[in-house]
């Protein structure tokens, strides 16, 4: 018989192979669950894990006070091209803005390169008569009769979602609001995305693209969230459901369903949030976040304990670590996000032979079904995980606390038949080659956030997590000349912990396009307060109302005639010329720090104003201790086994230890640390210990073994 012991919070992170769930009660008790993802209905995987966690802890479903979820549904919808049939209504003469795009090509010398297919095909992009001038004045009124006819034409053509993006609507949204009101009355079953509700900023292509992406993913995301909410309710869990945004903040599931473009990068963000907590609380201020799961590997940079943010990114252009340097290959989304690089390299990445007879690793993945060969679910094509099992890095008995059995013989046989026999190498050398190629793929992502940004990787620690990250971390660190590796507690569930550390956060913006000197302080303050009123409305969301919150202001400023802006924080109310002068000095100081000079006498223009509302989701100060306690007690599968560390070291008898054992006695490599949710491999040229917060710290030894 279950009984309610304590209130609990739940973090649920869905990956391509596993669904990770963490339950933390109010006294710091932790229950962890790692179950295969249910690809037919991802919501069911969360419920399966939650049911198991509640049973293990003797909690009633009513004990759950909050569920925080990171999801890749929106991203996968774009990558798989399975979104809604989209319609776009534009100002007459501007239906082809999505085709024209920006003059950027990700592969300049590839004559056969093709742009990604437009998310709203041309016969579903229609025009209406209306025109707003750049100053916001109405040049041509909206023809509502024509609009109604256009709407009917789209609905009869089978569109499932409609976007509205009119010229210069950022300066005056009246026509878009009028159009949205009419279409929502005529076609209540069709979701309508309005550009000035999604992104009320200048730049026509970026605003239109972001709005159409929202329309494209909205039906599927909304259906998924409603299904998850219904499944949870049916299980007796009526707690608020919060969703991780791309920027690392949380929003309600209702708000995410209305504006899913803000959760495109929901999945990878949570791990970076957890890394920031380690940077701020454990003294590792500069680190590279390295998250390797079953399908992809992600990298992000934390510098001076601060996350690197981006205001715009591309999605759907192929998984590429260099996407920020090679724009033009995907769909532009202008929304705040954590700056994350991603490559198609994970434990489930499939191994094949390419056209010239070399080993190819990824980007395709075995996923949860059928999974790696060693999972015994019918797959015959080897994966990176199969190579790691063959090398002795991963237990040949089972993982996830023994809930998933492993057949090492099947993995070795598949590598021998599918790869070794075709390249003329032994199975051991082939498996190590697969492991090394996977490392090289992941290093692309790490280089894109360090070397390609002018940072020296050797000046950073590598914080490795995800189900496969700790297996590869030391080898990757060696190749990048990084001396220190951090393996946090519960690394395979680290992103699920990160979900529980995030704040509730919403961003609001408005284009201004006016000289700083010509805008009176009281008028600027009035406009800020109008944005703040929108932010306060979000605080009263009935799904999860918040009473205590902070609101921060900022301005995008640039010298007149320049293309790029700098975002400057604005503290307090604005009342007079002294406040404008304070903003001007802050901009000039930031410009000097960023570019190394300033431009005396040049006019400064305001491009946009921004407001962020933020509220603490919970007090998570004790999460380190809770995670470390949960991880320390994990049992190991065997006292030692043979592991292969490449031609320099060969096969070595390798002790298998728990995190608790390492905490009692630091060790020199080689050894393997087994936990419930991940395995850490320590090669012969590293030594390991556990710090005061429960992190495993691996330090590279000088002079080799």
């Amino acid at each position: 018989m279950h009984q309610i012991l304590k209130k609990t919070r739940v973090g649920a992170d869905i990956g391509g192979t596993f669904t990770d769930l963490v339950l933390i009660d109010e006294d710091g008790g932790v229950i962890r669950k790692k179950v295969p993802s249910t690809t037919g209905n991802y919501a069911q995987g969360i419920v399966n894990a939650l049911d198991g966690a509640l049973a293990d802890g003797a909690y009633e479903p009513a004990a759950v006070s909050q569920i925080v979820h990171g999801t890749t549904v929106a991203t996968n919808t774009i990558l798989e091209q399975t979104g809604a049939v989209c319609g776009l209504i534009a100002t007459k003469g501007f239906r082809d803005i999505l085709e024209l795009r920006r003059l950027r090509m990700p592969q300049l010398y590839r004559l056969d390169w093709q742009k990604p297919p437009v998310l709203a095909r041309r016969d579903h992009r229609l025009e209406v008569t209306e025109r707003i001038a750049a100053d916001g004045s109405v040049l041509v009124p909206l023809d509502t009769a024509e609009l109604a006819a256009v709407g009917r034409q789209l609905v009869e053509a089978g569109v499932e979602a409609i976007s509205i993006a009119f010229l210069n609507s950022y300066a005056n949204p009246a026509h878009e609001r009028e159009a949205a009101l009419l279409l929502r009355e005529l076609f209540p079953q069709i979701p309508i995305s309005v550009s000035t509700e999604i992104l009320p900023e200048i730049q026509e292509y970026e605003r239109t693209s972001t709005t159409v992406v929202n329309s494209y993913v909205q039906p599927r995301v909304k259906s998924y969230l409603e299904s998850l909410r219904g499944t949870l309710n049916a299980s007796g869990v009526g707690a608020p459901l919060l969703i991780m945004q791309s920027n690392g903040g949380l929003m309600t599931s209702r708000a995410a369903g209305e504006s899913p473009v803000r959760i495109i990068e929901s999945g990878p963000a949570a791990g970076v949030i957890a890394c920031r907590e380690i940077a701020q609380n454990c003294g590792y201020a500069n680190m590279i976040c390295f998250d390797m799961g079953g399908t992809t590997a992600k990298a992000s940079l934390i510098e001076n304990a601060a996350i690197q943010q981006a205001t715009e990114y591309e999605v759907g252009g192929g998984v590429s670590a260099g996407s920020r340097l090679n724009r033009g290959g995907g769909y532009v989304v202008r929304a705040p996000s954590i700056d994350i690089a991603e490559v198609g390299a994970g434990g489930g990445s499939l191994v094949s032979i390419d056209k010239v007879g070399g080993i190819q690793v990824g980007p395709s993945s075995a996923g949860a079904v059928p999974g790696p060969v060693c999972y015994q679910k019918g797959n015959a094509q080897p994966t990176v995980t199969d190579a790691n099992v063959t090398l002795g890095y991963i237990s040949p008995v089972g993982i996830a606390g023994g809930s998933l059995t492993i057949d090492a013989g099947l993995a070795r046989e598949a590598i021998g038949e599918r790869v070794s026999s075709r390249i003329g190498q032994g199975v051991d050398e082939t498996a190590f080659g697969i492991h090394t190629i996977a490392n090289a793929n992941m290093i692309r992502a790490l280089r894109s956030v360090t070397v390609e940004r002018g940072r020296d990787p050797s000046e950073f620690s590598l914080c490795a997590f995800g189900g496969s990250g700790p297996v590869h971390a030391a080898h990757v660190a060696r190749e990048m000349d990084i001396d220190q590796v951090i393996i946090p507690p519960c690394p395979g569930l680290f992103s699920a912990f990160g979900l529980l550390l995030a704040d509730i956060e919403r961003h609001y913006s408005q284009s201004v396009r006016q000289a700083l000197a010509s805008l009176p302080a009281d008028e600027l303050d009035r406009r800020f307060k109008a944005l703040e009123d929108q932010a306060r409305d979000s605080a009263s969301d009935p799904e999860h109302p918040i009473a205590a919150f902070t609101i921060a202001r900022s301005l995008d400023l640039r010298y007149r005639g320049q293309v790029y802006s700098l975002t400057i924080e604005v503290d307090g109310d604005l009342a007079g010329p002294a406040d404008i002068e304070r903003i001007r000095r802050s901009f000039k100081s930031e410009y000097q720090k960023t570019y190394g000079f300033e431009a005396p006498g040049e006019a400064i223009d305001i491009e946009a104003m921004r407001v962020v509302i933020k509220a603490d989701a919970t007090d998570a100060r004790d999460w380190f201790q809770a995670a470390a306690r949960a991880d320390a007690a994990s049992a190991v599968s065997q006292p030692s086994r043979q592991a292969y560390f490449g031609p320099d070291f060969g096969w070595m008898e390798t002790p298998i230890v728990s995190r608790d054992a390492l905490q009692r006695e630091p060790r020199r490599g080689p050894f393997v640390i087994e936990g419930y949710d991940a395995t850490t491999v320590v090669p012969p040229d590293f030594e390991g210990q556990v710090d005061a917060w429960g992190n495993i710290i691996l330090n590279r030894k000088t002079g080799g073994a």
Side-chain angles (χ1 to χ4, degrees):
M1 182 71 178
H2 288 183
Q3 56 178 325
I4 298 175
L5 300 177
K6 307 172 185 72
K7 290 295 183 183
T8 68
R9 298 178 70 239
V10 173
D13 178 45
I14 294 178
T17 305
F18 285 100
T19 293
D20 301 332
L21 184 138
V22 171
L23 182 151
I24 302 181
D25 67 35
E26 57 192 344
D27 290 338
V30 173
I31 296 175
R32 303 167 293 164
K33 285 293 175 183
K34 197 174 188 73
V35 301
S37 294
T38 49
T39 52
N41 177 10
Y42 284 113
Q44 189 59 49
I46 294 178
V47 174
N48 292 344
L50 182 55
D51 286 346
L54 292 174
D56 287 355
Y59 299 105
E60 289 281 3
V64 179
S65 61
Q66 188 181 85
I67 299 174
V68 188
H69 178 33
T71 175
T72 57
V73 170
T75 310
N76 292 341
T77 299
I78 296 174
L79 294 176
E80 297 164 4
Q81 295 285 295
T82 55
V85 178
C86 247
L88 170 64
I89 301 178
T91 302
K92 190 172 291 294
F94 289 85
R95 69 188 291 195
D96 292 324
I97 187 72
L98 293 177
E99 298 274 12
L100 297 174
R101 298 161 55 90
R102 295 293 183 196
L103 296 178
R104 299 290 297 273
M105 289 184 62
Q107 301 181 50
L108 189 60
Y109 300 107
R110 280 281 303 274
L111 299 181
D112 61 341
W113 178 79
Q114 298 290 323
K115 296 178 183 178
V118 177
L119 296 181
R121 69 190 205 199
R122 197 168 196 273
D123 58 327
H124 291 162
R125 302 196 306 268
L126 303 180
E127 302 172 344
V128 295
T129 301
E130 70 83 37
R131 193 63 174 260
I132 299 286
D135 63 0
S137 60
V138 177
L139 297 178
V140 179
L142 174 65
D143 188 331
T144 55
E146 183 182 25
L147 174 68
V150 162
R152 280 191 294 272
Q153 183 178 342
L154 288 174
V155 172
E156 289 169 1
V159 302
E160 300 165 329
I162 295 176
S163 297
I164 301 172
F166 292 159
L167 186 68
N168 294 323
S169 59
Y170 72 91
N172 181 355
H175 284 178
E176 284 196 354
R177 290 173 180 170
E178 186 180 359
L181 182 63
L182 177 60
L183 292 177
R184 285 167 177 160
E185 289 178 351
L186 292 174
F187 314 108
Q189 77 281 13
I190 301 292
I192 308 294
S193 294
V194 184
S195 79
T196 46
E197 294 175 0
I198 302 297
L199 182 69
E201 297 182 22
I202 195 172
Q203 292 192 311
E204 217 66 27
Y205 168 63
E206 286 77 4
R207 181 159 51 83
T208 303
S209 176
T210 303
T211 306
V212 171
V213 168
N214 192 80
S215 284
Y216 187 73
V217 302
Q218 186 175 21
R220 186 172 177 187
V221 170
K222 197 167 186 176
S223 174
Y224 165 74
L225 293 175
E226 289 173 351
S227 171
L228 176 58
R229 178 74 272 171
T231 307
L232 290 170
N233 289 344
S235 299
V237 180
L241 175 61
L242 301 179
I243 308 300
M244 173 67 74
Q245 298 180 70
S246 305
N247 60 29
L250 303 177
M251 67 194 309
T252 64
S253 62
R254 183 200 62 80
E258 295 300 322
S259 189
V261 75
R262 302 193 184 282
I263 67 167
I264 298 287
E265 295 294 329
S266 169
V272 183
I273 295 296
C275 281
R276 181 182 63 186
E277 293 294 314
I278 288 181
Q280 292 176 345
N281 293 284
C282 302
Y284 306 106
N286 297 323
M287 65 171 66
I288 305 166
C289 308
F290 169 46
D291 176 6
M292 181 183 176
T295 306
T296 59
K298 282 81 69 176
S300 188
L301 200 68
I302 290 183
E303 209 165 11
N304 298 319
I307 290 172
Q308 305 295 303
Q309 295 279 354
T311 58
E312 179 182 304
Y313 59 95
E314 291 186 2
V315 63
V319 183
S320 171
S323 60
R324 285 167 303 283
L325 299 179
N326 298 288
R327 290 290 179 89
Y331 306 103
V332 170
V333 173
R334 178 164 290 177
S337 66
I338 296 175
D339 198 2
I340 297 173
E342 186 173 22
V343 294
S349 292
L350 294 169
V351 181
S352 58
I353 303 298
D354 63 21
K355 294 179 180 179
V356 296
I359 296 175
Q360 174 78 29
V361 177
S364 298
S365 172
V369 179
V373 175
C374 60
Y375 288 6
Q376 309 165 72
K377 294 183 179 181
N379 180 31
Q381 187 173 353
T383 66
V384 173
T385 293
D386 293 309
N388 289 332
V389 169
T390 301
L391 294 169
Y393 298 161
I394 295 176
S395 169
V397 178
I399 59 175
S403 63
L404 182 60
T405 58
I406 296 293
D407 190 325
L410 280 180
R412 186 176 186 87
E413 182 180 335
I415 291 173
E417 291 182 356
R418 294 293 186 102
V419 187
S420 296
S421 62
R422 298 181 60 183
I423 64 173
Q425 293 288 330
V427 174
D428 300 339
E429 291 77 11
T430 301
F432 192 75
I434 293 168
H435 178 88
T436 302
I437 292 169
N439 291 341
N441 290 340
M442 292 179 285
I443 286 170
R444 291 170 50 222
L446 271 65
R447 286 179 58 86
S448 74
V449 299
T450 54
V451 176
E452 294 174 8
R453 308 287 184 82
R455 270 75 168 182
D456 183 351
S458 67
E459 297 176 357
F460 292 78
S461 299
L462 182 69
C463 185
F465 53 97
S468 300
V471 175
H472 292 258
H475 294 118
V476 168
R478 183 196 300 124
E479 292 300 317
M480 294 197 68
D481 200 27
I482 297 171
D483 290 331
Q484 185 178 71
V485 176
I486 302 166
I487 310 294
C490 303
L493 297 161
F494 195 58
S495 290
F497 277 100
L499 291 167
L500 298 177
L501 301 172
D503 297 323
I504 298 170
E505 188 173 311
R506 293 294 296 272
H507 292 240
Y508 298 86
S509 64
Q510 179 64 58
S511 284
V512 177
R513 302 285 290 175
Q514 193 166 341
L516 177 65
S518 68
L519 188 61
D522 57 349
E523 171 61 17
L524 183 58
D525 193 70
R526 184 192 66 77
R527 296 188 188 185
F528 266 124
K529 286 178 177 174
L531 276 182
E532 289 168 353
D533 287 342
Q534 295 182 43
R536 289 188 178 90
D537 287 343
S538 71
S540 60
D541 189 319
E543 185 176 359
H544 188 67
I546 50 178
F549 53 82
T550 59
I551 296 180
R553 298 173 169 183
S554 63
L555 289 171
D556 288 358
L557 302 174
R558 67 175 76 172
Y559 283 120
R560 182 164 298 164
Q562 291 193 323
V563 175
Y564 299 106
S565 303
L566 293 175
T567 300
I568 306 299
E569 293 183 3
V570 177
D571 297 324
D573 293 340
L574 304 173
D579 295 317
I580 299 297
E581 176 60 23
R582 173 166 49 87
I583 294 171
R584 188 189 69 83
R585 289 198 304 269
S586 295
F587 168 75
K588 294 179 77 67
S589 173
E590 185 65 24
Y591 195 93
Q592 172 71 36
K593 286 191 293 184
T594 303
Y595 297 110
F597 70 98
E598 59 178 80
E602 290 291 330
I604 299 171
D605 288 338
I606 305 174
E607 290 299 309
M609 53 199 308
R610 304 185 185 277
V611 160
V612 179
I613 181 172
K614 184 179 292 189
D616 291 338
T618 187
D619 183 354
R621 290 173 297 178
D622 296 331
W623 82 279
F624 293 109
Q625 294 82 357
R629 284 194 303 270
D631 208 16
S634 298
V636 300
S637 61
Q638 54 193 148
S640 68
R641 60 175 172 261
Q642 287 282 311
Y644 184 73
F645 293 97
D648 291 340
F649 300 104
W651 284 96
M652 302 180 72
E653 187 65 24
T654 304
I656 312 301
V657 304
S658 66
R659 187 180 290 247
D660 184 53
L662 185 62
Q663 188 164 4
R664 295 193 302 269
E665 181 184 357
R667 284 177 172 266
R668 296 172 66 91
F671 61 96
V672 170
I673 308 160
E674 286 189 349
Y676 166 76
D677 50 79
T679 297
T680 301
V681 176
V682 185
D685 54 337
F686 279 78
E687 52 192 9
Q689 62 185 32
V690 176
D691 69 10
W693 295 274
N695 301 299
I696 296 171
I697 306 299
L698 307 181
N699 292 305
R700 189 157 59 113
K701 296 182 292 187
T702 58

